Every structure is written in C-alpha cells, then in structure tokens.
Amino acid sequence: MAAISKEQILDIYHTPLLDLIYKAAEIHRQNNDYSEVQISSLLSIKTGGCSEDCGYCPQAARYHTDVEVQALMQTDEVLAAAKRAKNSGASRLCMGAAWREVRDNRDFDRVLDMVRGVNALGMEVCCTLGMLTESQAQKLADAGLYAYNHNIDSSDDHYKKIITTRTYDDRLNTIENVRKAKVSVCSGGIIGMGESIEDRAGMLYTLANLNPQPESVPINALVPVKGTPMENMELVSTWEMVRMIATTRIVIPKTVVRLSAGRTQMSREAQALCFMAGANSIFAGDKLLTTPNPSFSEDMEMFQILGLKPREAFKDFNKAKPLQETHE
Ligand code: SAM
Ligand code: DTB
Ligand code: SF4
C-alpha cells in the first residue's frame, strides 16, 4: 500500500461505524484467513520495579501499586509455563520484562536460554524487554526469537505527556534494530489514555508508514490500575475499540491485529465485532502481565460460538521476509 497520510487515516476512522466495519471486514477477508485467530500467551518473566515513568504502567517503581516485585524467573519455570500454555492451545509465548532496556549481563544470557528453550517446544517466541541495541537484537535472533514487541503506544505528541524518561525516537530506534536482525516486529499502542482522535490517527500513521509495516499490531484498551497516574481514566467504549481495530486493519491490511489488554472489560458481543472488523489475535490465559484476562476455557467457548479456530505456530514462517514493501 502506498504511503498514507494522517488525514486519510482520520477520514477512515470517522467513517459511519457500520460502513467502517464492513470495509475493514472486506479488507480482512481479502488479505487473511478470517476464521483463524492467533493465540498468544503472556508471561511476566521479571515483574515490577521498573525505572521508567510510563503513566499507564503498574510496574513502574515510582508508582505505589499492588504489584509485587519479582526477580527474573528461572529458565525451567519459564519452560514449564510455556508447556502449559502450549497444551492449552497457545502457538506463541510472549515473555515480558519490566526493564527500561536490556543490559549485556547474566540476566540477558538467561533470557537467551529461555528463548532457545521455548523455540525448541515448537512455539513462536516473542519477547518484550524494553530498548535493545542492534547486537542484542541479533543475539535474540540467533537464539531463535520469532518476534519482538515494542509499542509506540500513542502519537509522538501524546507520548511526551505519558512518558518522560525516554523518547518516541528511542522507541523507533529499537524497532529498527529489531528489523535489522530480521526478527518479526510487533508494535502497537494503547487507547484510553486521554489522547485525541488525531493522536490515535497519528499513532496509526507512524505504524502504517514503517517500511515494511509491522507483522503484528496490538491494540490495547487502557487497564486503569490503582496507584498509577491513569487510575481514574474512563474505560474505553466498545465503539472506540471497534473503530480503532477496523482502522488498523484497513491501513495495515496484512498485519496480525491483536485485540490485547482490556478484554475483561468487554462483552463477547463486543469482541465479536472486533473480530469482524479485523482483529485476528488475542492474548489468552487468565493473566496479562500483572492484570486479569479471560481464562483459556472462556475464550475457547467464545471461539466455538463464533466459529473461530486457533492459528497454528509458524504459519508465516516462510514469509519471514518483510510483510510488504510500501513506498521505496
Ligand atoms: N518494559 C517493556 C516496554 O515497556 O517495552 C516491556 C513491558 S511493557 C509492560 C509492554 C506494554 O504493555 C507497554 O508498551 C504498554 O503498551 C502495555 N501496557 C502496560 N500497562 C498497560 C495498561 N495498564 N493498560 C494497557 N496496556 C498496558
Ligand atoms: C501489549 O501490547 N500488551 C501486552 C503485551 N504487549 C506485552 C501487555 C498488556 C499489559 C497490561 C497491563 C498488565 O497486565 O500489567
Ligand atoms: Fe517499565 Fe515497560 Fe512499564 Fe514502562 S511500560 S514502566 S518501560 S515495564
């Protein structure tokens, strides 16, 4: 798809809702197998105590939340959790660490072991560990990392209002390092942080104009957590979530759009609309990183009702090359 402007994205976002869903569903069906949903399981391998000031995050050390700090897990514990997730139907495991950035130390060596171990189980391995240098990204790739999650979270403008300890360019730089290591890029953001519609379009503008576009785009609804600066934010409405998912699907047609945080706040009917509008991935398992999520069995029941099936691991393996070239 040719470069798209912020104005074009705003126009799409503001399309009358049913037209927007219809258009997104059409694009989804032309580009993807709409009956398949990727199931990714999240595991917090190092929890809390983070030095950053991300205003939404319960794991930032400076906010007083109920999150208990936990040092980096042992590799065998991680592999046991990975096996449980795989047996429940997950094809991808995403390991998250509350780090500002990766450091070249023994903890990183342990993460590399975890990546090798999970990969050997036949699961797609994803990590989200904060900022990475090019050589760290390469080491992760060599260990068998399939994807790296690094969200841009909002527009460049709004980012400055929610995080001051790093910049938008820092984020983009890590994404570039991940790309250079030929690891699949997972990058999206959060809605419901007091941003304007223009900010939402601005975030999608940045993602859609990455060249190549990200292979995976998580759309999170803010989970307001007590003790964070965003504890009193109003919950995102179904309609906003559906609009955001549909717009993402239209501007990044072949990506995996993940209906991420916030599903406990949504009815099944609302989630069904999101799948119709192009969502084709979820995080499953009763915990996200630190907050609750629907259980595997509840999600399987929903899949049954909607006629959806879990996607197998490594389906895109032969497409490890860039998803699509946009403007040269
Ligand atoms: N520390 C690493 C980083 O920031 O990249 C990885 C872990 S961090 C928790 C991963 C992502 O979780 C964030 O970029 C943000 O998009 C999402 N997240 C964190 N807290 C959230 C919340 N309360 N509601 C929704 N999404 C949240
Ligand atoms: C993403 O976009 N959402 C996930 C994952 N990537 C790492 C994290 C959601 C975290 C929600 C708050 C929590 O559970 O701590
Ligand atoms: Fe730390 Fe990541 Fe939370 Fe920011 S989002 S405070 S970097 S764990």
Side-chain angles (χ1 to χ4, degrees):
M1 145 167 223
I4 187 160
S5 71
K6 208 185 290 185
E7 290 64 37
Q8 285 171 308
I9 298 177
L10 265 179
D11 282 351
I12 296 170
Y13 189 97
H14 287 302
T15 309
L17 189 66
L18 295 182
D19 292 338
L20 177 62
I21 295 174
Y22 185 80
K23 179 78 190 156
E26 195 172 55
I27 291 186
H28 185 35
R29 283 160 191 247
Q30 281 161 3
N31 288 281
N32 309 290
D33 180 347
Y34 65 89
S35 65
E36 282 190 346
V37 175
Q38 180 197 59
I39 299 193
S40 185
S41 180
L42 267 176
L43 182 64
S44 185
I45 57 170
K46 186 265 166 183
T47 310
C50 183
S51 61
E52 298 285 79
D53 72 349
C54 312
Y56 48 75
C57 188
Q59 301 199 68
R62 65 192 73 200
Y63 308 135
H64 300 285
T65 65
D66 291 338
V67 169
E68 271 177 44
V69 177
Q70 263 182 355
L72 185 64
M73 285 171 75
Q74 297 298 331
T75 308
D76 54 351
E77 294 175 299
V78 169
L79 295 184
K83 279 182 202 154
R84 281 195 297 274
K86 187 182 174 189
N87 291 337
S88 305
S91 57
R92 176 179 284 205
L93 182 76
C94 178
M95 299 187 279
W99 284 331
R100 173 175 203 269
E101 79 251 303
V102 166
R103 305 220 173 119
D104 293 297
N105 56 18
R106 272 186 290 180
D107 276 358
F108 184 42
D109 292 339
R110 199 192 293 171
V111 172
L112 293 172
D113 273 343
M114 294 172 189
V115 171
R116 279 187 278 267
V118 179
N119 196 34
L121 294 176
M123 298 180 87
E124 296 176 12
V125 199
C126 174
C127 279
T128 181
L129 313 168
M131 292 184 274
L132 287 183
T133 63
E134 202 180 327
S135 87
Q136 290 163 343
Q138 193 54 55
K139 282 186 188 160
L140 285 163
D142 293 342
L145 188 77
Y146 188 87
Y148 195 79
N149 168 248
H150 202 64
N151 292 339
I152 59 165
D153 281 332
S154 196
S155 68
D156 192 359
D157 262 4
H158 196 64
Y159 200 78
K160 300 179 184 71
K161 298 182 198 153
I162 48 176
I163 298 156
T164 66
T165 47
R166 56 164 192 261
T167 65
Y168 211 59
D169 279 347
D170 289 333
R171 284 317 256 188
L172 293 172
N173 189 33
T174 291
I175 293 172
E176 211 176 293
N177 290 338
V178 171
R179 249 313 155 226
K180 283 187 197 148
K182 301 200 168 45
V183 168
S184 173
V185 170
C186 171
S187 186
I190 309 178
I191 63 170
M193 302 190 296
E195 73 285 347
S196 64
I197 307 297
E198 283 72 16
D199 289 317
R200 292 179 190 170
M203 172 176 112
L204 291 180
Y205 171 78
T206 303
L207 293 172
N209 286 296
L210 287 175
N211 190 8
Q213 295 182 322
E215 281 77 10
S216 163
V217 178
I219 302 294
N220 297 275
L222 176 76
V223 181
V225 180
K226 200 164 152 270
T228 64
M230 297 202 173
E231 63 179 347
N232 293 322
M233 293 304 291
E234 218 172 283
L235 293 184
V236 166
S237 82
T238 297
W239 312 122
E240 287 177 283
M241 199 60 180
V242 174
R243 266 192 197 284
M244 192 65 185
I245 297 269
T247 310
T248 307
R249 172 54 67 211
I250 294 171
V251 302
I252 317 183
K254 288 188 197 293
T255 197
V256 172
V257 178
R258 186 170 305 125
L259 173 57
S260 301
R263 288 197 303 117
T264 51
Q265 300 149 204
M266 296 173 81
S267 68
R268 281 188 176 159
E269 291 83 349
Q271 294 181 60
L273 276 180
C274 291
F275 294 122
M276 185 76 195
N280 59 346
S281 173
I282 54 167
F283 283 121
D286 50 19
K287 209 158 153 209
L288 290 165
L289 290 173
T290 66
T291 63
N293 193 49
S295 69
F296 264 112
S297 57
E298 283 174 78
D299 281 337
M300 284 309 117
E301 201 178 292
M302 173 174 74
F303 276 27
Q304 192 93 46
I305 294 169
L306 302 179
L308 297 171
K309 53 178 192 278
R311 165 173 144 157
E312 67 197 51
F314 301 111
K315 233 194 142 194
D316 274 346
F317 202 63
N318 299 327
K319 284 204 300 185
K321 305 155 244 126
L323 243 191
Q324 63 182 142
E325 296 299 329
T326 54
H327 46 107
E328 286 298 295

